[in-house]
Amino acid sequence: MATVEKMPMLQEGYEKLSVELKRLKAERPLIVDAIEEARAHGDLSENAEYHAAKERQGQIEASISDIEDKLSRAQIIDPREMSGDKVVFGATVTLMDEDDKPIKYQIVGQTEADANVGRISYNSPLGRALIGRKVDDEVEVTVPSGDRYYLVSKVEFI
């Protein structure tokens, strides 16, 4: 029997997914109403409203199924309960780039990642390269724009 792969995430990410699930479930009856209204317009073969509503219904159902799967496999991790000197899921890492400019990232789950706010997925190239590293370790990452080099200058659990 196959084991179910846990999906690590922060509490904040779990709550965001839960809110999105509620929103999508609330949209379900509205789509059903839109389909019924479009059906009342007659011939379904050339009824753009009907086809658009059915397509939206399919998108919503797929999203609901995906989010329910993620929530059922969620392993919530609180970085404030962690300690140590190694980079692990939930850690906030300060890196020095090649120009000695500090860059700060928190290692998070795939659904929570947003590099613009300093959150990278543990599955991203940089996230994978950082996991297990310690302060003063050098990290080389190959990204689409070329190779990048970083120095781990700080590991925090905040």
Side-chain angles (χ1 to χ4, degrees):
M1 183 173 155
T3 59
V4 177
E5 183 183 335
K6 289 288 185 189
M7 179 171 268
M9 63 179 66
L10 302 175
Q11 181 67 38
E12 179 183 326
Y14 185 88
E15 289 168 6
K16 275 185 179 178
L17 283 176
S18 296
V19 166
E20 178 65 6
L21 181 62
K22 285 179 186 160
R23 186 191 69 73
L24 289 169
K25 285 186 173 183
E27 194 175 335
R28 270 178 168 164
L30 302 175
I31 294 298
V32 170
D33 292 345
I35 290 171
E36 290 302 316
E37 184 179 322
R39 269 195 186 136
H41 293 179
D43 184 13
L44 297 181
S45 65
E46 295 182 19
N47 188 330
E49 290 94 9
Y50 174 79
H51 293 289
K54 287 296 279 182
E55 186 174 320
R56 179 67 185 141
Q57 183 182 39
Q59 291 169 343
I60 287 173
E61 293 304 323
S63 293
I64 287 173
S65 177
D66 182 52
I67 292 172
E68 285 177 338
D69 173 60
K70 287 176 181 170
L71 291 175
S72 72
R73 296 185 298 126
Q75 178 182 8
I76 298 171
I77 295 174
D78 184 352
R80 294 169 300 194
E81 296 176 358
M82 302 166 70
S83 63
D85 59 352
K86 282 188 177 180
V87 177
V88 295
F89 183 93
T92 300
V93 185
T94 303
L95 306 170
M96 300 303 275
D97 68 8
E98 295 164 4
D99 301 323
D100 281 337
K101 287 191 339 195
I103 305 167
K104 194 180 238 185
Y105 289 118
Q106 183 176 27
I107 311 296
V108 298
Q110 295 160 292
T111 59
E112 305 162 287
D114 183 352
N116 295 328
V117 295
R119 292 181 153 199
I120 59 170
S121 169
Y122 66 97
N123 273 341
S124 69
L126 181 56
R128 284 195 310 266
L130 288 173
I131 296 292
R133 300 299 181 122
K134 295 180 178 181
V135 172
D136 292 331
D137 281 357
E138 292 183 7
V139 180
E140 178 184 351
V141 183
T142 302
V143 293
S145 60
D147 289 346
R148 301 282 175 145
Y149 299 90
Y150 300 100
L151 177 70
V152 178
S153 67
K154 190 185 222 181
V155 177
E156 303 172 276
F157 297 96
I158 50 177

